[in-house]
Amino acid sequence: MTAAGDLVYQWDLATDRIAWGGETEQLFGRARRRTPLDGKSFAERINAEDQSRRSRVLAEHFAGGDDYDVEYRVRADSGEFNWVHDRGQVERDGTGEPLRVHGTLRRITRRKLNEARLEYLANFDELTGHFNKLRLREALEYALADALRARRSGAFLAVGIDSLDRINRAYGSELGDGVLVEIGRRLDRCLRTNDVVGRLGGDRFGVVLNGCTAAEALHTAERILTVVRRSAVDTAAGPIHVSVSTGILLFPGQAHTALDAIARAEGALLKAKTAGRDCAALYELTEEQERGFRDAMEIGEQVKTALKEGRLQLAFQPIVAADGGSVDYYECLVRMRATDGRLVPAASFIPVVEQLGLMRAIDRYVLDLALEELTAVEDVRLGINISGLTAADRSWLRALNARLRGRSDLARRLIVEITETAALHDVEDTARFVQAVRELGCQVAIDDFGAGYTTFRHLKALTVDIVKIDGSFVRGVLDSPQNQLFVRNLLSLAKAFNLRTVAECVETAEEAEFLADEGVDLLQGYHFGRPEMLPPWRAAPGVATARRARPDGLAGSPSIVAG
């Protein structure tokens, strides 16, 4: 125990005495006489913020819960707090009453400090201490949603330091970093308490102005310019005069997603730098763009109302086996029922929904509808599409986890499809998402395979189950040697990883035959069935499902047969 640096203890609950084993000086201090020898004096050394957590875990253990296992901070004689991992188990008498607790204490201060640092770096820029780009984008997403909900305006500023690259070349990057830190401090002095500052990267900061008019945004931008240029930055090389340029974007009128807002504000920033630097430029919409935004807002309101009223519904398109035509699974495609009863196809509103940042809500709604269907029909398998934003959304993953916990019968019949372009946007994040979904028992498919130029390395990192060949390579495949070559290459890449393949947009029997001969596993397209609001298991009361055998010995996929 001494070599490991751990402590063992026996806590007699009747007398409240604690007997220690190991080098207590490492945790409590040099004076052995001050080592706590009873539960009361030991509890007095525990950080006040951690007392309730330790008491709760201990009480749950005494009540018959799992082993006692908790982390908290303990004060040493010096006043310094050390993190400890406390693990133990109660010893009971013949009647089940707790007698003693036997346990171990391990110092974990270094690990907790590392965890705190990693958590800090996940949210803040290490150099300036402001939000990093990810947290800034999250704050901007929240501000955009709040502006849409409350029907008020805000602004996003992209602030770039003029000619920072020259300062770095002349004096070194360390001095340039000092300039960045000082400009960040000056930005803080120019803003209100409810405004948000973050570092976009390189020489650029981003500023979220909540609840401000266009005039107020322009005034803030001018104040930033004045504060920065008013006085030189003190550095080791002497005072250096610095200026900044600012690009201004007004929301929600000029952008509905954080990515759009950042891109447009940086476009305005480039305009300001081109105009001579040390000035502000406003992002401006053309008349056509303004009309498009008004139309988008109207469609967005319709979609939000449809969500509230339950008028978003699923259509189901069959995906069949190339070697026989039996249905393997159905892809769920979202449709909106208009107030007059018309069915609105996804192409009419999904692009707008993506611009407005509503895809997370749509994807969550589709997940609920698909799981309801899987719960109601035991033998059907369904595939759902999710957007790139949802693939990075932990709340959607938590919802999936909550719905599938203990329901392996649902998980194994659900296929989650992500587009290739979204998957390749951040391969590492997507790989973590794919792993989490597959650990729940679901399968994962890459949609539009080939559109994003997936490489051998990408497929190796993503570990998906199915790839769906983009329809642009399937349409006219019989008459296009280039498409045929591309399909063969994509199939070779997929087969190298033992992945099942789906060819989309199959419209003729000749195309189906060619693709089957080339080795495609599954086929999807109008030749086999259009998306239907009434799938076979709903359309006829006598419908049953039959499973076909699979060569790997696993449970087969359902094919629909008349009952």
Side-chain angles (χ1 to χ4, degrees):
M1 296 301 298
T2 301
D6 296 345
L7 297 177
V8 292
Y9 65 86
Q10 179 178 281
W11 178 17
D12 190 305
L13 298 175
T15 64
D16 197 32
R17 301 294 293 173
I18 299 178
W20 296 97
E23 297 292 337
T24 57
E25 294 91 339
Q26 294 185 26
L27 181 61
F28 302 112
R30 297 285 180 190
R32 292 186 64 88
R33 67 181 183 281
R34 300 184 64 177
T35 297
L37 298 178
D38 57 70
K40 181 176 182 297
S41 57
F42 178 68
E44 289 173 350
R45 285 183 176 260
I46 298 175
N47 189 296
E49 296 178 358
D50 304 334
Q51 287 274 14
S52 60
R53 179 169 67 254
R54 179 201 180 234
S55 298
R56 184 184 69 253
V57 174
L58 194 59
E60 289 173 353
H61 179 54
F62 284 172
D66 295 333
D67 288 351
Y68 173 58
D69 191 322
V70 65
E71 296 176 354
Y72 51 84
R73 287 162 289 183
V74 175
R75 177 175 46 81
D77 290 340
S78 63
E80 177 185 8
F81 280 96
N82 288 302
W83 277 97
V84 296
H85 183 192
D86 186 358
R87 299 181 65 187
Q89 191 172 47
V90 69
E91 177 189 342
R92 303 177 187 273
D93 63 15
T95 65
E97 286 298 312
L99 288 178
R100 286 174 288 274
V101 176
H102 304 270
T104 62
L105 286 182
R106 168 168 291 179
R107 285 204 306 169
I108 57 170
T109 303
R110 182 177 298 176
R111 172 169 69 80
K112 297 297 285 188
L113 290 175
N114 286 336
E115 289 176 356
R117 174 173 169 75
L118 290 173
E119 184 177 354
Y120 177 85
L121 292 178
N123 295 285
F124 297 95
D125 177 59
E126 186 174 17
L127 177 62
T128 66
H130 293 98
F131 276 172
N132 60 20
K133 188 173 183 178
L134 178 61
R135 281 301 306 277
L136 178 65
R137 193 171 71 189
E138 290 176 351
L140 181 53
E141 288 279 12
Y142 179 83
L144 285 163
D146 185 62
L148 283 167
R149 182 173 58 253
R151 297 183 180 277
R152 61 183 179 185
S153 60
F156 180 73
L157 311 183
V159 181
I161 302 174
D162 296 330
S163 304
L164 183 63
D165 55 338
R166 294 184 182 178
I167 295 174
N168 286 330
R169 286 197 300 269
Y171 302 104
S173 59
E174 186 174 345
L175 188 142
D177 288 347
V179 171
L180 262 169
V181 172
E182 175 58 24
I183 297 303
R185 290 174 183 152
R186 295 187 185 188
L187 284 176
D188 289 334
R189 295 199 294 268
C190 294
L191 303 173
R192 304 165 301 179
T193 55
N194 66 326
D195 297 328
V196 178
V197 184
R199 189 176 175 196
L200 285 172
D203 60 355
R204 303 179 317 287
F205 290 89
V207 179
V208 181
L209 302 178
N210 292 287
C212 75
T213 63
E216 290 169 336
L218 285 165
H219 178 70
T220 300
E222 289 295 338
R223 185 164 70 249
I224 290 172
L225 299 178
T226 301
V227 168
V228 172
R229 82 163 75 93
R230 181 183 297 157
S231 58
V233 177
D234 292 326
T235 72
I240 295 178
H241 287 276
V242 180
S243 66
V244 296
S245 299
T246 305
I248 307 169
L249 175 127
L250 305 175
F251 60 79
Q254 295 180 335
H256 300 298
T257 69
L259 290 175
D260 283 346
I262 292 171
R264 290 168 183 171
E266 290 190 324
L269 171 61
L270 179 61
K271 179 180 173 183
K273 287 181 176 289
T274 304
R277 299 185 176 89
D278 193 19
C279 63
L282 186 66
Y283 177 80
E284 295 177 341
L285 293 172
T286 65
E287 184 177 341
E288 183 180 351
Q289 287 173 322
E290 288 182 355
R291 187 165 54 251
F293 271 114
R294 285 194 297 271
D295 293 343
M297 290 289 289
E298 183 178 343
I299 294 174
E301 289 300 320
Q302 293 174 5
V303 171
K304 284 190 281 188
T305 303
L307 269 171
K308 292 177 183 177
E309 297 177 355
R311 288 188 284 106
L312 288 184
Q313 301 172 3
L314 295 182
F316 304 87
Q317 185 174 29
I319 297 174
V320 306
D323 61 356
S326 57
V327 176
D328 192 90
Y329 70 96
Y330 288 83
E331 181 176 356
C332 300
L333 303 167
V334 69
R335 299 289 184 263
M336 182 170 68
R337 184 74 68 179
T339 52
D340 61 3
R342 290 182 302 106
L343 206 59
V344 182
S348 300
F349 62 90
I350 287 297
V352 173
V353 164
E354 291 176 335
Q355 291 177 10
L356 296 179
L358 296 174
M359 275 310 301
R360 289 189 181 95
I362 299 290
D363 287 345
R364 177 65 183 273
Y365 191 84
V366 167
L367 173 65
D368 291 340
L369 291 179
L371 290 178
E372 287 174 11
E373 205 72 37
L374 289 173
T375 303
V377 186
E378 293 184 356
D379 291 327
V380 72
R381 297 177 69 215
L382 298 177
I384 58 173
N385 293 283
I386 62 169
S387 68
L389 288 175
T390 300
D393 183 11
R394 294 181 181 178
S395 64
W396 189 90
L397 198 55
R398 285 196 295 270
L400 180 68
N401 186 53
R403 294 292 301 273
L404 295 182
R405 189 179 298 119
R407 294 301 307 271
S408 59
D409 58 316
L410 297 183
R412 66 171 177 264
R413 295 187 286 123
L414 180 65
I415 298 166
V416 178
E417 298 184 9
I418 53 178
T419 62
E420 183 189 34
T421 49
L424 299 185
H425 179 70
D426 192 325
V427 175
E428 290 185 3
D429 279 352
T430 305
R432 285 191 287 270
F433 174 82
V434 169
Q435 181 180 358
V437 172
R438 294 183 79 230
E439 285 176 354
L440 291 174
C442 306
Q443 290 189 324
V444 179
I446 290 184
D447 200 6
D448 302 332
F449 186 56
Y453 305 106
T454 303
T455 67
F456 190 89
R457 178 176 61 85
H458 292 143
L459 275 186
K460 183 179 179 181
L462 293 175
T463 63
V464 296
D465 304 281
I466 300 170
V467 292
K468 302 182 70 176
I469 300 172
D470 186 62
S472 62
F473 303 114
V474 175
R475 295 187 191 94
V477 68
L478 298 179
D479 302 318
S480 173
Q482 291 88 351
N483 281 11
Q484 293 174 16
L485 178 62
F486 210 94
V487 166
R488 290 183 183 118
N489 287 334
L490 291 178
L491 286 173
S492 296
L493 186 57
K495 296 301 181 185
F497 288 94
N498 197 29
L499 303 177
R500 301 181 78 199
T501 53
V502 180
E504 302 176 310
C505 302
V506 182
E507 299 185 355
T508 67
E510 292 76 18
E511 289 174 347
E513 183 179 358
F514 171 81
L515 293 165
D517 290 342
E518 291 294 330
V520 175
D521 298 304
L522 303 170
L523 304 171
Q524 178 182 11
Y526 287 174
H527 178 64
F528 300 99
R530 293 175 177 269
E532 297 290 346
M533 303 302 294
L534 282 178
W537 60 90
R538 287 191 200 165
V543 165
T545 57
R547 290 188 178 277
R548 58 184 175 84
R550 276 175 48 176
D552 55 13
L554 299 176
S557 305
S559 58
I560 305 301
V561 296

